[in-house]
Amino acid sequence: MPDFSTTTKVAEIARRNGRLTDGERFVPEETPVAFSYLGSTHAVMMATPADLEDFAVGFSLTEGIIDDPGEIETIEVVAEDRGIDVQIRLADVQNDALTARRRHMAGPVGCGLCGIESIEQAVRVTPSVRSSTLTLSEDEVAEAVRLLNGQQPLHMVTRAVHGAGFYVPGTGLIAVREDVGRHNALDKLVGAARRAGHAGSTGAVVVTSRVSVEMVQKTAIIGSPFIIAISAPTALAIRTAEEAGMTLIALVRGEEFEIFTGAERIVSGAGRRMGNA
């Protein structure tokens, strides 16, 4: 796979201690990344040009194009003049399914739903994770975010990208991925975790961004009953998580956090489930 730069050093003028001084800093690269199936483009995302095979697998999974990474035969990353084309070859049966449901979309980093063709696609049915028996302690919720904060090398350099991690109780973070787009970071994480053989049902998705409805949908699609975030959720994300039986925790600050749905999965230090006092 070609080696792409993820950062660029740029000149700046900074105000420090009441004075303007010349300086330099690193900023993240933002590149058009196209996903091509059947020889034509299915989606174009503005993304950080790293972990592109994970991105391809995760996007294919969370968009419902495949159900298992094994349904992808090959992934070829091709550098073009103004972007990157990720060419994904599927098994024949998946090609037939994709042809039947094909849609084109363009997803800027601030959106993720841009370009879809109907309201129904925007409010697609979210899989239920209500039957999951996975629980986390209050300490594990705090630990998941603390670990994620310490495993984002690109963010440490640029202060300009999102992070997503997969936390397994008793093990810790088994994968972390970063991107200028929050949806992209989550898709990359999904691909990394599934390629490594980790089922979504075994752990929690942890993100540095706000929780939008699509973040909840992607988490449910991989079977995880938890999404934990540093920032706040939207109202639709909360309603969607509730309907899916997902535990949504946000605004994690050290040992403090807020539970918006599924409080019964959180076990206190004394072994008491939240919401069952």
Side-chain angles (χ1 to χ4, degrees):
M1 186 177 74
D3 186 20
F4 301 103
S5 175
T6 58
T7 63
T8 295
K9 183 183 287 188
V10 298
E12 66 168 3
I13 299 174
R15 188 173 191 272
R16 300 285 187 268
N17 299 317
R19 297 177 58 191
L20 294 177
T21 58
D22 293 333
E24 295 180 323
R25 70 169 292 121
F26 285 98
V27 295
E29 284 290 348
E30 185 178 4
T31 305
V33 176
F35 293 116
S36 297
Y37 305 86
L38 301 174
S40 61
T41 299
H42 177 82
V44 180
M45 313 298 287
M46 298 304 297
T48 303
D51 303 306
L52 295 175
E53 292 188 356
D54 290 338
F55 195 8
V57 172
F59 177 86
S60 299
L61 285 165
T62 62
E63 284 296 306
I65 295 169
I66 62 172
D67 295 318
D68 186 88
E71 295 166 3
I72 294 178
E73 292 187 349
T74 62
I75 299 173
E76 183 179 2
V77 178
V78 180
E80 299 192 341
D81 289 343
R82 301 185 65 180
I84 299 168
D85 186 16
V86 182
Q87 300 174 2
I88 304 163
R89 180 179 176 84
L90 304 176
D92 288 343
V93 65
Q94 296 307 120
N95 282 328
D96 293 341
L98 179 60
T99 300
R101 64 177 290 276
R102 191 172 196 106
R103 64 179 174 86
H104 291 272
M105 59 182 258
V109 297
C111 183
L113 293 175
C114 302
I116 61 175
E117 296 174 346
S118 68
I119 292 175
E120 287 74 18
Q121 288 175 336
V123 292
R124 57 182 172 171
V125 175
T126 303
S128 174
V129 292
R130 196 172 300 278
S131 63
S132 172
T133 59
L134 184 68
T135 61
L136 293 179
S137 71
E138 297 170 43
D139 290 343
E140 286 171 328
V141 171
E143 179 187 51
V145 172
R146 183 171 64 252
L147 291 174
L148 180 60
N149 286 338
Q151 296 186 35
Q152 298 175 70
L154 187 57
H155 181 69
M156 290 297 293
V157 172
T158 66
R159 299 295 179 182
V161 298
H162 295 290
F166 190 71
Y167 177 84
V168 176
T171 300
L173 287 176
I174 59 92
V176 175
R177 292 293 183 268
E178 298 178 276
D179 198 275
V180 291
R182 55 198 169 88
H183 304 97
N184 302 341
L186 180 50
D187 278 340
K188 288 179 177 181
L189 173 71
V190 169
R194 289 294 299 273
R195 293 176 76 195
H198 297 280
S201 59
T202 62
V205 168
V206 191
V207 298
T208 60
S209 65
R210 74 179 187 276
V211 184
S212 63
V213 62
E214 195 176 22
M215 302 293 277
V216 171
Q217 290 170 335
K218 288 176 181 289
T219 299
I221 285 170
I222 65 169
S224 174
F226 281 93
I227 184 165
I228 302 170
I230 293 174
S231 297
T234 67
L236 182 56
I238 295 170
R239 292 194 295 269
T240 303
E242 182 68 43
E243 292 169 1
M246 182 183 296
T247 300
L248 192 165
I249 303 169
L251 298 164
V252 183
R253 299 290 185 273
E255 303 297 319
E256 298 180 350
F257 52 83
E258 299 179 21
I259 306 171
F260 291 87
T261 65
E264 67 278 0
R265 287 200 184 92
I266 304 301
V267 181
S268 72
R272 176 179 60 81
R273 294 181 188 276
M274 302 292 289
N276 289 342

